[in-house]
Amino acid sequence: MTEYPPRRIPFTGDRAVTRPCTVGQWDFWLRTHRPGEPSFTDMTSGGILPAGVTVAEVLDGLGALVGRHESLRTLFRLADDGTLVQEVLAEGEVEVELVDLSTLTPEDAVGDWSPFPEGLPHDPATMVPFGARIGLLDGRPTVFQLWMSHLAADFISGRIVADELVKLLEGRLARPPGAAPVDVAEEERSPRGRRALAKGLEHWRRELAAAPPTMFTAPPNESGTPRYWRGGIRSQALPTALDVVAKRYRVGPTHVLLAAAAVLLGRHTDHDRCPVRLMAGNRISTMLRHAVGNLAQEVLTVIDLNGETFGDVVRNTWAASMRVQRNGRFDANEVAALVAASKVDLSIAFNDLWTPVRDLAVLPAVPPAPSTFHWERKRDRASVTFFLEVHEDLTDTSAIRLSLLADTAHLPPPTIRAFLFGIERLVLSLVDGDLRLAEIEPLEQHPATALAAPATGAGSPSGHAGSTAGPRLPATPPPPLP
């Protein structure tokens, strides 16, 4: 075991400037200060380093990245009038951690990581929103992991920065950086930008008017302890099935997964409309395509669950998703006022972080392994009742990970598991053709097929897993709860 001291590396940028924040930054600031909101204050990205690079070269590359992207060297604070301002630093230092990979567990090597110790969180007013660590084997840099505050970077930004580090080290980073958040904020305050914000506000007004007051009208059950549980499944069968089904409907895998979740929610709650919060990337313009900053905003849309077949709901889902992408920028204060007046419950959310980064070349040529389930996290407070996320699996690039955070007062732990395997089961059953909506049973009516057969899942903290290796459905009882 080798211990390496942390390194502090300098950065230098083109300008130092203090300006008002973007609407995306302000939206995120408000979300992180709401009681009960899940913690989305930071994010990680990373990858494999080019063979033969030295530690010094990687450190120089990290310093160059921070100098290249203003958002990675920006401080955030509230002004005297209560508005959020961003202060871009022209120079400074960031700390880089060096770790011996042989001392890490697989979860430590690929899981979430923060450069800030427990109990000493990042202070956006005094600390740059960027950190990094380099993993070494026998003293050679092999992998890297980047930490970014969500005030400074959204998910796509994290992928851009990781990709640019590799290209920079390989000597093939040629494109200029995208628009900086300071320039985005200035554009938002122009007549054109204000028209876009007004368009986004009108979208919220229409969707709130179309939404049911709540999807979860039944009296809540006695909740678990803690109240909010997050479960996850890893599936090698889903990626191929999603490709087949999405191609048939001429949509993306995102729309198929979202439609499956919405249909099951509708059957579970007896509603024919599903209001859901989706992420709008807000990268349509050329100047924003490769920008690093918090551009994404969460937008309400209502999915119509009426129709004869699942394909009808997929088309409704695609239309609802397009409405979000066309109306993704808005003033969070104005939207908050609309939401409060409407009294609509916005406790359902969906975020696909897999489709934008997946690699079609890694699909396996062998039969998929059984899908595995485990509990990922439990918490006392959250502002959601149902939040489904879709992730890449860094330990298995042929798999997809579905992760569901739910309120156990409305969705007891067995139902959380049933939803995850039910989504997989529904998509796999669509491989052979479209289904009539009447054929899709509510989860509770057929518990024997709502969950897959028990198995021993590698790396599963619960020790239980489900088998859904193909489109044929198991007919065995669900595994017991841990």
Side-chain angles (χ1 to χ4, degrees):
M1 169 180 161
T2 304
E3 292 189 6
Y4 302 96
R7 307 286 184 89
R8 295 198 64 83
I9 58 172
F11 63 80
T12 303
D14 293 335
R15 64 176 173 177
V17 62
T18 300
R19 291 288 187 272
C21 67
T22 67
V23 292
Q25 290 166 340
W26 178 241
D27 188 9
F28 183 77
W29 179 276
L30 290 177
R31 289 174 59 198
T32 57
H33 288 77
R34 289 183 197 140
E37 187 76 17
S39 175
F40 304 117
T41 55
D42 56 10
M43 58 161 291
T44 56
S45 186
I48 299 173
L49 290 165
V53 298
T54 66
V55 170
E57 289 172 333
V58 179
L59 294 174
D60 288 345
L62 290 168
L65 277 182
V66 179
R68 172 181 170 87
H69 295 293
E70 290 185 0
S71 62
L72 304 182
R73 48 188 172 90
T74 297
L75 307 181
F76 299 90
R77 67 176 187 275
L78 290 177
D80 293 339
D81 63 358
T83 60
L84 183 68
V85 297
Q86 50 180 324
E87 177 187 357
V88 179
L89 304 179
E91 58 184 24
E93 290 183 327
V94 295
E95 186 169 292
V96 179
E97 179 183 339
L98 277 66
V99 295
D100 184 349
L101 291 177
S102 65
T103 67
L104 301 183
T105 66
E107 290 78 14
D108 291 334
V110 302
D112 292 339
W113 162 78
S114 170
F116 302 100
E118 187 82 22
L120 293 173
H122 172 257
D123 178 8
T126 61
M127 302 175 179
V128 293
F130 179 83
R133 70 173 176 172
I134 305 170
L136 297 96
L137 282 176
D138 299 325
R140 295 177 289 103
T142 305
V143 298
F144 67 96
Q145 198 161 24
L146 309 177
W147 174 93
M148 285 155 276
S149 165
H150 255 318
L151 280 168
D154 53 23
F155 173 72
I156 296 299
S157 297
R159 305 297 301 199
I160 290 171
V161 174
D163 179 66
E164 286 191 356
L165 176 62
V166 173
K167 289 181 178 177
L168 189 153
L169 294 173
E170 293 175 340
R172 56 188 184 93
L173 180 57
R175 68 170 182 248
V182 165
D183 303 316
V184 173
E186 183 177 355
E187 190 273 335
E188 289 171 348
R189 286 161 173 79
S190 69
R192 178 181 176 182
R194 292 185 184 278
R195 287 193 297 272
L197 300 182
K199 186 167 171 277
L201 185 66
E202 183 57 31
H203 165 85
W204 273 87
R205 185 176 286 110
R206 289 192 304 268
E207 298 298 314
L208 286 168
T214 181
M215 289 285 283
F216 299 93
T217 54
N221 304 298
E222 182 178 349
S223 68
T225 304
R227 178 168 175 170
Y228 297 88
W229 290 31
R230 181 188 290 278
I233 64 171
R234 288 178 169 85
S235 172
Q236 290 184 347
L238 261 179
T240 302
L242 282 169
D243 284 341
V244 172
V245 177
K247 184 177 180 180
R248 179 194 307 128
Y249 296 130
R250 303 174 71 179
V251 297
T254 295
H255 307 113
V256 175
L257 283 169
L258 179 54
V263 164
L264 292 179
L265 268 171
R267 301 306 302 271
H268 182 71
T269 61
D270 197 26
H271 282 80
D272 63 358
R273 289 167 295 154
C274 181
V276 58
R277 290 146 49 185
L278 301 180
M279 277 294 176
N282 294 323
R283 292 178 177 271
I284 296 174
S285 71
T286 303
M287 63 178 273
L288 297 177
R289 197 150 300 151
H290 300 294
V292 173
N294 188 359
L295 301 174
Q297 289 189 264
E298 200 173 52
V299 184
L300 172 68
T301 194
V302 179
I303 300 173
D304 183 357
L305 304 178
N306 291 294
E308 292 294 323
T309 68
F310 183 81
D312 293 331
V313 178
V314 170
R315 286 181 281 275
N316 295 342
T317 302
W318 178 87
S321 179
M322 291 304 101
R323 293 197 301 271
V324 165
Q325 301 307 322
R326 290 194 297 265
N327 299 281
R329 296 167 73 182
F330 55 87
D331 183 303
N333 289 340
E334 294 179 335
V335 164
L338 282 180
V339 173
S342 75
K343 295 182 170 47
V344 171
D345 178 18
L346 303 182
S347 62
I348 299 172
F350 174 86
N351 195 12
D352 181 4
L353 303 175
W354 172 75
T355 299
V357 300
R358 64 173 304 199
D359 185 350
L360 294 174
V362 300
L363 294 177
V366 297
S371 299
T372 60
F373 172 89
H374 69 283
W375 293 113
E376 298 176 346
R377 182 179 295 180
K378 301 174 185 179
R379 63 173 74 222
D380 292 314
R381 296 185 305 164
S383 65
V384 294
T385 302
F386 183 101
F387 182 21
L388 179 66
E389 292 183 286
V390 189
H391 298 274
E392 60 182 333
D393 187 343
L394 296 178
T395 64
D396 180 1
T397 55
S398 68
I400 187 173
R401 181 164 68 90
L402 302 185
S403 178
L404 174 59
L405 172 66
D407 181 352
T408 58
H410 288 282
L411 300 172
T415 308
I416 295 173
R417 292 163 62 109
F419 258 108
L420 288 166
F421 282 113
I423 291 169
E424 180 188 46
R425 173 179 174 268
L426 176 54
V427 173
L428 295 180
S429 67
L430 290 161
V431 168
D432 293 330
D434 203 1
L435 286 176
R436 294 177 59 82
L437 290 177
E439 298 177 77
I440 303 173
E441 299 286 353
L443 296 174
E444 289 81 4
Q445 290 192 14
H446 290 285
T449 56
L451 293 178
T456 301
S460 171
S462 68
H464 301 292
S467 175
T468 51
R472 301 304 168 207
L473 306 179
T476 51
L481 286 170

